[in-house]
Amino acid sequence: MDGSSEETQEELTRGRAAVSGEPEETSQDGQTAQGTAVLPEQCTSKPFSLSKEPLAAAKEEEGGPGNAGAEALLVPLPSPSGIGIPGSLPITWAGSQGTAGTANLEGAGLPGPPPPLSEPKGAIPSSPLGCREQDTQQRSGEDDQSDGSASLVRTAKPGMLFQEERQSSLHPLSLSWALGYNSNLAVHSLMDGEHRLLLYVASHTAVIHDVPGNRQYHLQGHSNAISCLCVSEDRRWVATADRGPDALVIIWDSFSGIPVHTIFESHPEGVSAIAISQDMKYLATISAGTVQRVCVWKWTSLTERPVCSTELRPEFGYQDYVLFNPQNPYEFVSNSKTQVIFYLWDDAGLQYSAPLLDRQILGRAVGCFSQSVFHFNNLQALTCTSAGKLVVWDAFDPKTPSKEQLAKPHSMTATKAVPVQKNSLTVLMVVKSWIVTGDVKGCVNFYDGQLQFLTCYSHSDVGPIRSISFCKPSPDPPGASPTCTASSQPFCTKNFILSTSDATVLHVAADRTNFEKVMEEAKRAVNAIACHPRQARVAVGSRCGLLRVWDYQQTTYLVSRVFAGAGIQCLCYDPEGYFLAAGFTDGSVHILDAISLQSSCKEFKFSRGPVTHISFSHNSAYLATADEKHAVTVYKRALQSRGGCWEHLAGLYSHCKPIRSILFGVQLDSNKPRLLSLGEDRQLIEYDLNSSSKDHLVVLHRDRVEQDAVPLCLAWYPQLSTESFILTANNCYKMKLYNAMTKMCRKTLLGPTYGSPLEKIQILPTTTTTDPQKHYLAYITKDKVGLQILPVDGNPHKSSAFICHPDGVSDLACSYDGRYIFTAGGNDCTVMKWEVNLNALDAAASLGGEDSVPFYSLLDGGRDGEFFRELEDCFYYAQLHSYGIDMLDTRQLSTHIPLEEMPSLMRAMGFYPSEEEIAEMINEVKFSKYVDTGEQVTKINLEDFIKLYINHRPAFGLSMTKIQRAFQVLGYDNENGDKVIDRGDLLLLLQHRGEHMTEDELALCLTTLMGKHSAGGGSEPDTGHPSGAAALTEDDIPKEITAEIFTADILGLPIAEPEKKNRKNR
């Protein structure tokens, strides 16, 4: 396919998109690959937006037209000679000048003040070269009505974001502060001076940080981690985009913090790069898929569709950078590590050119591409590389006759690769008439239009530069005189912000080369956090070995320490707040002074794998750890000696699968500590610390707490009754209460169902509450943080959760007073501080209803549905069955059924519990009042049965995927390639694996499921007739059984339509 696209008159009439499947192939000489795409069909739906273009509305409020100056940027003026990059460099070119004529490109040490630079002459636009004329028509006939958000945007002014007092949140949890940021993305300067504002990304939140005022404003709206962002030239409009399911592009007003436009379904895979045009009217986005798509959006309009788009070929590499031409909004450039692509768009569509490098001209050591920009002469473009070179792209090739010259973008050709320095270049930008680069050594170099070196800013403490953002000065107060004149130092009001790949942000004063460190955060994953038990402090540990203590009320760091050679995996304060214990990835354990972070004793290294959990006993006498090798290690506090105040006691490989929790408690009959560990091997192990001795850890009890599910977390349940409980949560969204002494399962309850099971739970301290019986549970799932009202009863309205770290939560901690919850985001290198509002959670639970009302909504169709009526009929039939079906006397029925009827009623409602689950359900009801009354309960009413049914049944029903997975494990491939189980093997498995069934029990079960009844027509199944069970297996069950046959024909459950075609005819 040659890539040329043609449209018939019929296609144009219908407005159908006709995007070419592939761009044009490269020519024989291999110089240029070209492509084109046309305008997609118009969309008539209106997304959420303001009634007026937010840009135009803001400009009108300031007294100027919405596109003021846009026409002037595109006036075709000739480019003066001497501005562009010459074909050959002067002989005096040295490539390593600190000031004019001084070698200083290596960046060793702090240079002196930069020399005066020539006054910028301003950007000179060139002829459009195929671009369309600037559209100066303003949108007319729009709805003039505006809501409150629109009026706030129109009246917003710079610096007003933090002027108003912050209102209390109406949600149970609200983000209060974000520690750390995504160092892979740029940090932007929104304002300088007294109101120095920074913009950066922390996980799925864009943060506007007031540095002098030590305040943050959070732009929240993404459910996935933000993958890219950009800022308009005037620093007012911020565009953020994410990558993942339901990806969004959101445009924010940085003056008011209001989202003014949201683009839904921009790219199914998310966005890898985004840019905003100089006139602030257009966005360019590149998708994050394997086959990338480039779109241009007019975000100030009401359309949900891009103005134009095209697909890129995979051989172009992963395009992760895009930038508009500042002098032409219809031209932009993108690049991957190996390919630069130039674009030109208009109403007819989007064209692009992917020119190839001529190695004979440029040489072989060009390196990988980093970033690309347009030269201010508008005739050239530049790309920086990892080899320290700037590749120059010319719109006109001097070697090609003028008659054969192509129009942009197909005319762009790489003519030279200029070696500007030895270090790898990471950042490239054009500021006025200067070309600015940043490199891996932390140097910022300035060049003129001919790539002549002008000056350099560097510091020995600056790492590889990730972004450079020149500051926008604060607006001068009325009557103030200008801070500089044309003859003064050129950078006196153009300070800039540097961000580095090692998570450091610096403010550089251009007039005095002062490097001020604004932020220094963790370079690698943050996996460990711990709150001080008595003070407003939280310890944060990173995989890079950085340990910091943060005052979360004053929002300042107090003390820090760096451990070389290993990363911090877990942290824990002792109950008194004197010690801070840290477990490391190399298996070592450090016990530190909680104030100074100095070691209180020698380092311990008794674990053979990374330490995953660490905990102190209530009296600070013991310290226990768990590691990835499934071992539990105990340390004991001793009298002061030469080795320190702590010593190793013993260790034990007590689990055969990963340990999920270790937990200290207090013995009920004494004040001595208890130690428990919970593993994925379903074992809850209690250790006898009193009987343990040096190198010998004694196990007191081993209890299996789950039959099929995997336990994930463990906590002591508050003393809400006379009976003491241990609370666990498993991977089936169930929470279980076990008697603290006997380990008997006393209750099974439906837990929060927010996409993934609970990973960690912690009882929220409630020192301020007046009701001692009021308790709450804090928890984290895979990507959310939540609160649960206690006691747990399965009511879904008593729980609430919010996305905190879309890429995964690694740890959870609660403040000593219960006012804040902290979450660590692991690889996103951030810690979120969440403010707790328990009144909002209580209000939501009250609105959900009381008693059985919340549980009715969990039934299919609710209380008025068919399922509830069927449940009532079955309940009444169970009452009749308990008195005898054939009884002719008048029955005195109650509102209860005997517990013996409960298993049959559960099965009748489609829930098939195992024998162990049946025993747990019966014991749950039977002993529900035993501690208080000393009597056992022998019957259950309808409302309690509904609660029991909802809490015990699978949270999401019986999954066909789960049955198919079992057949994958137990079955074999037949001649048709289907996973099947032989009939005889299935019968043997049911009788000898798992919960064993006798032959009679199996026959009774199968005849009941398959509807085989006695010859007399009664309701009971026929198991004694010679043609009963034996004949059933031969005649009604096929030789080879698939998952679909087992589900539909044997269990009698409905299956989805796609699965029905897989059923085999018997």
Side-chain angles (χ1 to χ4, degrees), residues 947-959:
K947 294 179 181 178
L948 192 72
Y949 168 76
I950 289 174
N951 282 320
H952 280 265
R953 70 175 182 178
F956 301 104
L958 184 61
S959 170

Side-chain angles (χ1 to χ4, degrees), residues 411-614:
S411 62
M412 301 301 290
T413 304
T415 56
K416 64 181 72 65
V418 181
V420 294
Q421 61 183 84
K422 297 180 181 180
N423 300 322
S424 175
L425 298 177
T426 56
V427 177
L428 175 65
M429 60 190 309
V430 173
V431 180
K432 295 185 178 180
S433 62
W434 302 304
I435 296 168
V436 186
T437 65
D439 61 29
V440 294
K441 295 295 184 180
C443 299
V444 180
N445 297 329
F446 288 79
Y447 303 89
D448 64 10
Q450 297 183 11
L451 296 186
Q452 295 290 328
F453 179 75
L454 298 175
T455 189
C456 171
Y457 292 85
S458 65
H459 195 278
S460 58
D461 293 337
V462 180
I465 295 177
R466 180 61 189 84
S467 68
I468 304 173
S469 178
F470 283 84
C471 301
K472 178 185 178 183
S474 300
D476 294 328
S481 59
T483 56
C484 64
T485 62
S487 59
S488 62
Q489 291 286 337
F491 281 35
C492 60
T493 58
K494 283 292 254 187
N495 304 330
F496 55 93
I497 293 292
L498 291 181
S499 71
T500 66
S501 57
D502 56 4
T504 303
V505 179
L506 303 104
H507 179 270
V508 182
D511 58 341
R512 57 185 183 274
T513 66
N514 178 34
F515 284 72
E516 176 191 354
K517 191 172 292 185
V518 179
M519 294 170 56
E520 185 176 15
E521 302 296 339
K523 305 174 186 178
R524 297 182 61 191
V526 177
N527 290 330
I529 51 176
C531 285
H532 195 282
R534 298 185 177 183
Q535 298 178 2
R537 297 180 178 181
V538 60
V540 180
S542 169
R543 290 292 293 270
C544 63
L546 175 64
L547 174 61
R548 280 185 162 183
V549 177
W550 187 61
D551 185 330
Y552 54 80
Q553 285 186 344
Q554 302 299 324
T555 61
T556 57
Y557 284 113
L558 300 176
V559 63
S560 64
R561 179 180 175 182
V562 177
F563 296 85
I568 301 173
Q569 189 73 13
C570 53
L571 294 169
C572 182
Y573 280 99
D574 79 300
E576 298 296 326
Y578 298 144
F579 299 103
L580 175 63
F584 288 78
T585 54
D586 63 351
S588 62
V589 174
H590 290 255
I591 302 177
L592 313 172
D593 179 81
I595 298 177
S596 64
L597 299 186
Q598 297 302 311
S599 298
S600 299
C601 60
K602 63 179 181 179
E603 170 192 356
F604 296 107
K605 196 169 184 180
F606 291 92
S607 297
R608 296 185 179 180
V611 179
T612 56
H613 299 81
I614 192 165

